[in-house]
Amino acid sequence: MQKLVIFRGQAVENETRLAGRPVRLGRDSKNDIVLDDKSVSRFHAEIRPEGDKYFIVDLKSRNGVWVNGQQAKGKTALALGAPVTLGAFELTIEDDVSTGEFDEESPLLAPAPRTMINAPTDQSSGASRSATRAAMKAPAATSRRQMILWLTAAGAVVSICAITFVVIRYRRPAAPVEVATITPPLPPTPTMPIVVPAETPADDPTKVTIDRHLADGQAAVGKGDLAAARDHVARVLELDPANQPALELKQKVDAGLARGAKPPPPPTVTTVPPVSPEVETPGIAKRANETWPAYTGRVEGIRVNLETGKAYLAKNNYAQALARFRLVAADAPRYQGVDQLIVETLAKQKVALETAINSGDQNEKAGKLKDARTWYQVAVGIDPSALSAHEKDVALLNRMTPDLNRTFTRATGAAKTGEQELARSLFQQIMDSLLPGDELRDKTAKELEKLKR
């Protein structure tokens, strides 16, 4: 069973078990989960199950849905632990290791709870987490038939283990056992640069965008998602048709698509010291009625999240680092200084965010509107919940749109009267003024394609 964990700041606001049915989120009281904050639209998003996966769909919200620091377009798949931002809230899907195995009623048949989440008055993660879990935990009942079945299975497993131990013990001397733990590979994500603001920004914001798409493209190839890699390469070539790394990656992707996508490389197997089944790990308390296998599995998950968060932080990917650290803090608030790591990451994220927004403001004052929007989008990537950066980008696009619409009308008129060169020149002006993903830019690209026929 998987569960949906909702954060606000450092506090866990809500945990909801996903029972194979759609879950709608928004500010309106008709939603399954109500997020009572002005940054959330009335009907903001919906989580939909398909097979053994869950997808999130943006219901045309005002501030959008951000998955792994990228704005979700249409239906987007959700991986375990992947951070999703809805306004001032952040949510993620986790395995519900504490879910009872002997529930009398199947969770797939349980009615969907409607949860109201208000802005908290106490930001203590421990208090919020306790209140939420206490409110959502349903009483567990164990049927006699299930109990007998499980006790029989447990007795069989213990017997097999005992026989195996005796055989191995008398065949050869006992040797220390090494436990191989499969550590999931870190999904490569774009590194958000920290640029020192100057009178005029020295770095080219377009290059930042190109580097980000190249990194995402390489990551998609590593995971075998050649379709996504092709989209990232196309974005780079729109900005820089002669970009050599993008051209080389395009050849690699095209070749892969021609022969069929290959599965991603196997994860790295790392040998770690075994965890004693009878000794608690310092800083991670064993829960009441939690089995030792479940406890050791939870400990390993906390360790992986902590190391993954540190790796993201080293790459200046603050949004993903914070998501991992908060997962650790939700289970073990003071484990290996994770609370201090969250404070330090928030401080670095704030500096990087202010730097990107200042660079956007300087370009906007200098009349470089496209560069200004690029910096605002970089700021949103640094902190998807930064409403000011998103609002600046939208406001600047709205300011540019009337003139660009008039240029589009002139260009289409010239194309109809046979003035091909004039139409091509006007369409190119629009392409040079907008960013990939803008609706008018995509519309203009189609008109340019018509002129080439």
Side-chain angles (χ1 to χ4, degrees):
M1 175 66 70
Q2 295 176 341
K3 63 181 178 181
L4 179 67
V5 183
I6 300 178
F7 299 89
R8 184 184 179 97
Q10 299 184 35
V12 176
E13 285 299 310
N14 177 268
E15 292 184 5
T16 300
R17 292 167 62 186
L18 298 174
R21 62 185 181 288
V23 177
R24 189 169 57 183
L25 305 96
R27 200 174 68 248
D28 195 277
S29 61
K30 296 179 181 179
N31 289 283
D32 299 302
I33 296 180
V34 181
L35 305 177
D36 190 12
D37 191 272
K38 293 183 178 179
S39 64
V40 179
S41 299
R42 291 178 62 246
F43 300 97
H44 200 110
E46 184 175 74
I47 296 177
R48 300 174 183 173
E50 290 189 12
D52 59 350
K53 295 183 178 179
Y54 284 91
F55 295 80
I56 190 164
V57 179
D58 187 350
L59 302 179
K60 297 182 180 180
S61 62
R62 177 167 57 89
N63 292 323
V65 176
W66 300 81
V67 180
N68 278 331
Q70 301 291 326
Q71 186 170 13
K73 301 290 186 180
K75 183 170 68 175
T76 304
L78 297 179
L80 287 178
V84 181
T85 301
L86 277 71
F89 296 89
E90 188 170 280
L91 58 90
T92 184
I93 291 180
E94 301 180 38
D95 278 327
D96 190 1
V97 297
S98 63
T99 302
E101 296 293 340
F102 310 109
D103 287 353
E104 191 173 78
E105 182 180 14
S106 170
L108 293 176
L109 302 178
R114 178 160 297 169
T115 307
M116 181 74 175
I117 302 178
N118 297 305
T121 57
D122 182 1
Q123 294 296 328
S124 169
S125 62
S128 299
R129 182 172 67 255
S130 299
T132 303
R133 291 182 176 173
M136 295 188 62
K137 182 175 293 185
T142 306
S143 68
R144 182 177 181 181
R145 183 177 181 180
Q146 288 178 320
M147 178 64 75
I148 294 174
L149 180 62
W150 279 101
L151 288 176
T152 303
V157 171
V158 172
S159 300
I160 293 172
C161 292
I163 294 171
T164 303
F165 173 78
V166 171
V167 172
I168 295 175
R169 177 67 180 85
Y170 287 96
R171 287 186 61 182
R172 58 184 180 185
V177 180
E178 294 186 351
V179 179
T181 303
I182 298 178
T183 303
L186 301 181
T189 54
T191 300
M192 298 301 174
I194 299 180
V195 183
V196 178
E199 293 297 328
T200 56
D203 292 342
D204 181 5
T206 301
K207 183 177 182 301
V208 175
T209 302
I210 289 175
D211 292 343
R212 184 176 64 198
H213 282 299
L214 283 174
D216 287 347
Q218 293 286 1
V221 169
K223 293 185 288 187
D225 190 354
L226 299 183
R230 180 180 56 191
D231 292 340
H232 287 295
V233 170
R235 292 291 181 89
V236 174
L237 293 178
E238 284 183 1
L239 298 172
D240 182 7
N243 187 281
Q244 191 60 36
L247 293 174
E248 293 175 357
L249 184 58
K250 183 176 185 299
Q251 292 180 351
K252 184 176 180 180
V253 171
D254 290 343
L257 289 172
R259 63 175 179 269
K262 292 184 177 180
T268 303
V269 177
T270 305
T271 301
V272 299
V275 178
S276 172
E278 298 181 356
V279 178
E280 290 188 10
T281 299
I284 306 178
K286 183 175 177 293
R287 297 168 179 165
N289 300 324
E290 184 177 24
T291 64
W292 280 108
Y295 172 72
T296 55
R298 184 165 61 89
V299 168
E300 184 59 25
I302 292 173
R303 288 176 175 172
V304 169
N305 279 328
L306 183 65
E307 294 306 316
T308 302
K310 290 179 179 179
Y312 281 133
L313 181 58
K315 297 179 181 179
N316 297 332
N317 193 332
Y318 307 111
Q320 295 244 22
L322 283 171
R324 296 286 182 160
F325 291 152
R326 284 167 177 162
L327 288 175
V328 175
D331 261 345
R334 289 171 293 280
Y335 179 66
Q336 294 193 8
V338 68
D339 48 347
Q340 185 60 33
L341 280 173
I342 292 175
V343 173
E344 293 174 0
T345 304
L346 286 171
K348 292 179 180 179
Q349 182 187 48
K350 181 179 179 182
V351 172
L353 176 65
E354 291 175 350
T355 299
I357 291 178
N358 289 338
S359 296
D361 289 339
Q362 292 172 20
N363 276 287
E364 186 173 353
K365 291 177 182 177
K368 300 177 180 179
L369 304 186
K370 182 179 179 180
D371 288 349
R373 288 191 59 216
T374 300
W375 279 115
Y376 293 147
Q377 291 191 4
V378 168
V380 172
I382 293 172
D383 183 0
S385 64
L387 296 182
S388 60
H390 177 72
E391 290 170 354
K392 284 177 177 287
D393 179 39
V394 172
L396 192 51
L397 177 60
N398 292 338
R399 172 182 159 192
M400 299 164 60
T401 298
D403 289 339
L404 294 175
N405 280 333
R406 285 191 287 270
T407 303
F408 184 85
T409 301
R410 288 180 56 203
T412 53
K416 291 178 181 178
T417 57
E419 300 176 83
Q420 304 295 315
E421 289 301 322
L422 176 59
R424 189 175 291 106
S425 174
L426 293 173
F427 282 138
Q428 193 60 49
Q429 289 180 26
I430 299 174
M431 295 290 290
D432 294 340
S433 300
L434 296 173
L435 296 175
D438 290 338
E439 182 179 355
L440 183 57
R441 192 178 193 275
D442 295 340
K443 186 177 177 182
T444 302
K446 294 179 181 178
E447 295 297 327
L448 278 173
E449 284 297 322
K450 292 179 183 179
L451 292 177
K452 294 178 182 179
R453 298 171 185 170

